[in-house]
Amino acid sequence: MDLNENEIRKIVERVVEKVMSQTIAGSSGAKGDWGVFTEMNDAVEAAHEAFLQFKDRSIQCRKKFIDAVRKMALENKEELAQMTVEETGMGRVDHKISKYVNAANHSPGVEYLQPEAWSGRNGLAVDEYAPFGVIGNISPSTHPGPTIINNIIIQLAGGNTIVFNPHPSAKKVSAKVIQLANKYMYEAGAPKNLVTCVAEPTLETARTLFGHDKVELLSVTGGPQVVKMALEYPKKVIAAGPGNPPVLVDETADLELAAQEITMSASFDNNILCIAEKEIFVVDSVFERFMAEMERAGNYRLSTEEMNRLAEKALELSGKHWLIKRDFAGKSAAVLGKALGLNLQGDVPLLFGEVEKNHPWVVAEQMTCCIPVVRVKNFEEGLQAALKAEHGFKHTASIFSRDLERVTIFTRVLDCDVHVINGGTLRGNGGDLGEGYFSHTIATPTGEGICTPIHFVRKRRIMTHKSFRFV
């Protein structure tokens, strides 16, 4: 039987892939499927074995492997975005694609790990950066794939290997991303299992990960429960906690700009990013003009009574806190409108409406396409209302104002990791929409802010006394 060149190449590719997949195993001997393991202990052991090989590779090798992950994200973005929406039921495919592109193009890499040197009469001192080892990682359901890609890039840049415990609601797409990352890196010459995960993640597998003696550092992007759990372990923790970003619009603001920027930012991926605007405080003298601009930006205004009814359907009280119900998280304005009997076009960005400053829509991190607007008497009242709504998370806040003194006061009082002036809050995380580097890990509880590779390495110094001075 004669075979053409394409058929022969396909046969060779299948054979090579089969052989490569059969060689992937953790140090315990348990097999993983391109980094996906049945048992958490096996996932950790495999990542530790990979680290023992990876730590001797050069920083140029790390860049090569990271570039392979960037390439993987760009080449598979459509499939992974579609998988994410289908599995989690949250967000929009087109915006998910943008997230993959942003993570691939703007996650900081090895360029952040430049050594420092001092030369003087006593000799030469050099500071360089060493890996921690195996990093235990928790990833969220809101943007699982881009978070994993971002964390792979910034953590492998430091020479670490990673074990993920993905959110159970996004376990399939998370495993797919990890498998693809390993395949692309292996083809670029990387050791096997630089990144691993458990196929069926639970709180128990997270505890196993946190407590494992071969896990040196914990990186957590998740809800308050898992962050609190991680902080109970005697290890360094970099934790990205909750946010409830307020916006203050005063009487000096460009109202058209404010409405357009808030609409762009708060509606992105149906408002499931923790950095996105969650409530708006508007000074009374320009309140109705601002509401009119929000309508002109394409949003649909609800009455206060409709805001109340939607809150009854979409929000629930958990202890002392209002939370968005799972069925409404990350849903579009059209889906939310159906709950009120409204037949809205699918391209309506947001529902919005006036409520009081203590309303459940204001105090909850609602993460859906409905945003509350609160009328305040003046800047001072708006400042205090924004401070209260932010809950001391110190995550993100924004203000629209032409008064520089007010802008200064606002940022000092709110004291957040990210402040945006006269722009949508998404711009504060750099990347495609802003300036500077980008990260899905905004570590507010532990103080690192928007993370780079520098946060996942140990600084070490070597001092050569009376030698290695050439000047």
Side-chain angles (χ1 to χ4, degrees), residues 263 291 294-303 306-307 333-334 336-337 340-345 347-354 369-371:
T263 299
M291 299 295 268
M294 284 290 285
E295 287 189 278
R296 273 192 279 274
N299 306 300
Y300 186 89
R301 183 174 182 176
L302 299 179
S303 67
E306 287 173 319
M307 291 289 287
L336 295 176
L340 294 174
L342 300 174
N343 185 21
L344 302 179
Q345 296 296 316
D347 59 353
V348 173
L350 294 169
L351 305 182
F352 73 105
E354 182 177 0
C369 281
C370 180
I371 191 162

Side-chain angles (χ1 to χ4, degrees), residues 225-255:
Q225 181 182 7
V226 72
V227 170
K228 180 181 178 182
M229 187 172 78
L231 291 170
E232 293 172 353
Y233 288 80
K235 300 180 180 184
K236 179 177 175 64
V237 179
I238 295 176
N244 195 41
V247 187
L248 177 56
V249 180
D250 78 3
E251 69 275 17
T252 72
D254 181 330
L255 301 180

